Amino acid sequence: MTATLLTAALVVYSAQGMLVPVLAPVTRVVGLGEVDLGAVMTLSAAMLVLTGPWWGRQVDRHGVHSVLVRGLVLATLGAVGFAVMVQIAAHEELPRWLVLSVFALTRGVLYGLGFAAVPVAGLTYLASASQGAIARTKAMGAFGAMQGISLVVGPALGGLLAIGGLLLPVHVAPVLVAATLVAVWLLPRPERQERPHGERLGWRDPRVLPYLVAGASLFLGLALVEIIMGFLVQDRLGLSNSATAQVVALAGVLIGIGFALTQAFLAPRIPGGPRGLLVAGSLVAAAGYGGAIFAPNLATLLPSMVVVAVGLGLALPGYNAGATLAVEPSEHAAVAGQLAATVGMTYVGGPILGAGLYALHPLAPIIGAALLSVAAAILAATRVTRTA
């Protein structure tokens, strides 16, 4: 089940990433604007925040397999509906409100709701199937590595498919999600499926709150910088639109590779357990942001962002493993929902905040990300227990 779950996560995350190269032009082809696209993406991220804990309770009641299947059904329906509307709107003049409403329902609500089930089910199962800090860190690192690999595979595959037609990635994405659904549905139910009957895990629970706050700080910092990367590259280096797109794409590949390799191979070898990973990763990320602040050219800016990716690749397994080790096995699903929702929360307001800070000063988002990373390191060092 572990191998199939990791593969499913890789395929689903890659299917989402396939749309990255074509979302902007597709949005214009169907008669919508940048703000419309931003609203749909924000709605999708909000679904992760709103439904992550709910999916955790569903895992408690129905098990990992059932939740993963239900989530993939919803994600498939959303992806198919989105592809159908794109196809129609690209060839027919439709009212803007109709296209935007269908996009919000399919790509925003349905896909966002279904997609939210994947990390919750995945983290719950891996937490229940691994014992001890070392094994738990390896398991969480493997899941995070799939996310990192998808950052490279998804956009690359989307770009290649776009050569055959702008809308091709939009139509292939639901096929991949549906294939994952069939594969997971045909699997036997895993043995490790918690069915606890205890009190609901509160957001203020002192065992997990330091992890949630530290993780929110790290991912908010990343969201601040991600949204302005293209502007930063173009404005600082004076590149053309096409050259900027190529540099940002290259940066994405390097960051994804660094993020994946760090979680898969380096994080399990760092001493100090989850707390050590959180502290070290946060400080490395802060150093990377510091380098980006002063980087005068591409040769120094790209390595700085790779350092950020390595730092986050260290911190993420500590974030996931530490929080699940801090609670009882019967609370794994609940804490998995909180972990997923926390990450989603940063991507609801982070891009807007990052763009606003950049308008005030080009360095403000990067300085903010560095400070947030330092704050996460301090919090992890002082509030996270060694036994986790």
Side-chain angles (χ1 to χ4, degrees), residues 215-263:
S217 298
L218 286 172
F219 287 106
L220 178 58
L222 178 62
L224 294 180
V225 174
E226 273 188 338
I227 193 65
I228 58 95
M229 181 56 62
F231 300 118
L232 178 69
V233 169
Q234 188 167 38
D235 295 343
R236 182 177 293 187
L237 305 180
L239 301 179
S240 65
N241 290 334
S242 60
T244 297
Q246 293 172 6
V247 169
V248 172
L250 175 61
V253 170
L254 294 176
I255 290 170
I257 292 174
F259 189 64
L261 293 179
T262 299
Q263 292 188 81

Side-chain angles (χ1 to χ4, degrees), residues 10-251:
L10 174 61
V11 175
V12 172
Y13 280 102
S14 295
Q16 176 171 267
M18 280 174 51
L19 301 183
V20 171
V22 299
L23 269 181
V26 164
T27 300
R28 291 192 170 118
V29 166
V30 300
L32 299 182
E34 293 84 352
V35 175
D36 299 322
L37 174 62
V40 173
M41 294 299 101
T42 298
L43 178 60
S44 182
M47 294 308 297
L48 180 59
V49 178
L50 295 173
T51 65
W54 178 79
W55 278 122
R57 294 193 292 274
Q58 294 304 302
V59 170
D60 287 341
R61 294 169 184 164
H62 305 290
V64 169
H65 185 269
S66 176
V67 164
L68 194 56
V69 168
R70 289 161 60 190
L72 290 173
V73 167
L74 290 171
T76 301
L77 290 175
V80 169
F82 177 72
V84 170
M85 176 49 74
V86 167
Q87 182 67 32
I88 295 174
H91 296 90
E92 304 286 343
E93 272 198 42
L94 298 176
R96 174 178 169 276
W97 67 265
L98 177 60
V99 178
L100 183 57
S101 297
V102 175
F103 276 21
L105 175 62
T106 57
R107 188 61 180 79
V109 176
L110 285 178
Y111 189 85
L113 175 60
F115 185 82
V118 176
V120 176
L123 293 177
T124 301
Y125 178 78
L126 293 174
S128 298
S130 58
Q131 302 296 325
I134 296 176
R136 185 72 51 83
T137 300
K138 288 182 178 179
M140 296 304 177
F143 190 85
M146 295 302 102
Q147 293 174 293
I149 295 172
S150 71
L151 293 176
V152 179
V153 173
L157 182 58
L160 290 175
L161 289 172
I163 297 175
L166 182 63
L167 304 186
L168 190 55
V170 177
H171 295 303
V172 172
V175 175
L176 293 179
V177 179
T180 305
L181 166 62
V182 173
V184 172
W185 181 67
L186 292 175
L187 283 175
R189 292 175 178 267
E191 295 180 3
R192 292 179 180 271
Q193 297 199 90
E194 300 295 338
R195 299 289 205 285
H197 299 283
E199 296 183 4
R200 183 177 300 182
L201 185 67
W203 284 90
R204 297 182 180 179
D205 192 304
R207 296 172 297 172
V208 298
L209 183 59
Y211 288 102
L212 298 179
V213 177
S217 298
L218 286 172
F219 287 106
L220 178 58
L222 178 62
L224 294 180
V225 174
E226 273 188 338
I227 193 65
I228 58 95
M229 181 56 62
F231 300 118
L232 178 69
V233 169
Q234 188 167 38
D235 295 343
R236 182 177 293 187
L237 305 180
L239 301 179
S240 65
N241 290 334
S242 60
T244 297
Q246 293 172 6
V247 169
V248 172
L250 175 61

